Amino acid sequence: NGSTSGIIAAVLASNAKKILIWGLSHPCHKNACKLANIETIEYDLPLDEELGVYKAITPEKVSGLIRTHNPEAIIITSPTYEGFVANIKEISSICKKNNIKLIVDEAHGALYPFSEQLPTSAVKLADYTIQSLHKTAGGINPTALLHSNHIDPTEALSMINTTSPSYPMLATIEANI
């Protein structure tokens, strides 16, 4: 079920009661919060007037949201659909300092961990990072990965994933690793 399952599992496993999400995020972010019965607080992102697209969230924005709303988790999308990348390292540091779980929808950044010439991946920095292999890494649709640091999402995944996985999909995941 692609990154959607990863997002839902991460939100369920976070055990958060209040979460920050971008108001125009992928629908699975809101759906995950509904399934987990989590209070959502939507935030806005700055619009690049010249390009007509939204920019990535900034560390300053994350700090302000945390001070204002006192959440237990935040979901960010980096890179954005248009390629804007958040400062994951600084945002992760802010979240850790404030005991906020960081979930990064890195669906379009599956190749980031493999080159220092690419932006910094959230894989080793966020509590959960979700990547779509089928978008940028050659996996068949809808293969995706859920990376977890510190919190095991196995139980959450077992609640939403099939017990009959597709072996061709699993083979393309393995071929990408």
Side-chain angles (χ1 to χ4, degrees):
N1 197 21
S3 287
T4 294
S5 284
I7 295 289
I8 294 170
V11 169
L12 289 170
S14 76
N15 288 317
K17 302 291 182 244
K18 188 190 306 185
I19 191 166
L20 297 166
I21 65 171
W22 178 39
L24 298 174
S25 65
H26 189 279
C28 73
H29 296 196
K30 289 179 186 175
N31 291 338
C33 295
K34 287 177 188 174
L35 287 169
N37 197 30
I38 295 176
E39 177 187 352
T40 59
I41 297 163
E42 295 183 9
Y43 60 85
D44 295 320
L45 291 176
L47 183 67
D48 183 308
E49 297 291 337
E50 183 180 334
L51 297 175
V53 297
Y54 292 94
K55 296 181 182 181
I57 194 166
T58 64
E60 296 77 23
K61 177 80 171 186
V62 171
S63 289
L65 289 167
I66 290 170
R67 275 192 311 275
T68 303
H69 300 289
N70 195 29
E72 295 168 310
I74 183 171
I75 305 174
I76 67 171
T77 302
S78 180
T80 66
Y81 301 132
E82 295 80 17
F84 288 102
V85 179
N87 184 335
I88 297 297
K89 189 172 184 178
E90 196 171 335
I91 291 171
S92 174
S93 177
I94 292 164
C95 288
K96 282 179 177 55
K97 187 172 86 172
N98 290 282
N99 200 28
I100 307 296
K101 292 178 182 91
L102 176 59
I103 301 169
V104 179
D105 184 340
E106 196 173 80
H108 290 88
L111 296 177
Y112 286 4
F114 300 103
S115 174
E116 291 181 12
Q117 295 179 9
L118 294 171
T120 301
S121 174
V123 168
K124 293 182 180 175
L125 298 169
D127 293 291
Y128 299 101
T129 304
I130 298 86
Q131 298 173 322
S132 290
L133 295 177
H134 65 274
K135 290 184 175 145
T136 57
I140 61 172
N141 200 9
T143 54
L145 303 174
L146 167 58
H147 304 273
S148 174
N149 292 307
H150 317 297
I151 307 161
D152 186 357
T154 304
E155 183 179 353
L157 278 169
S158 71
M159 290 191 295
I160 60 169
N161 280 346
T162 181
T163 57
S164 303
S166 162
Y167 292 106
M169 288 173 60
L170 291 174
T172 65
I173 290 172
E174 288 181 4
N176 273 273
I177 296 177

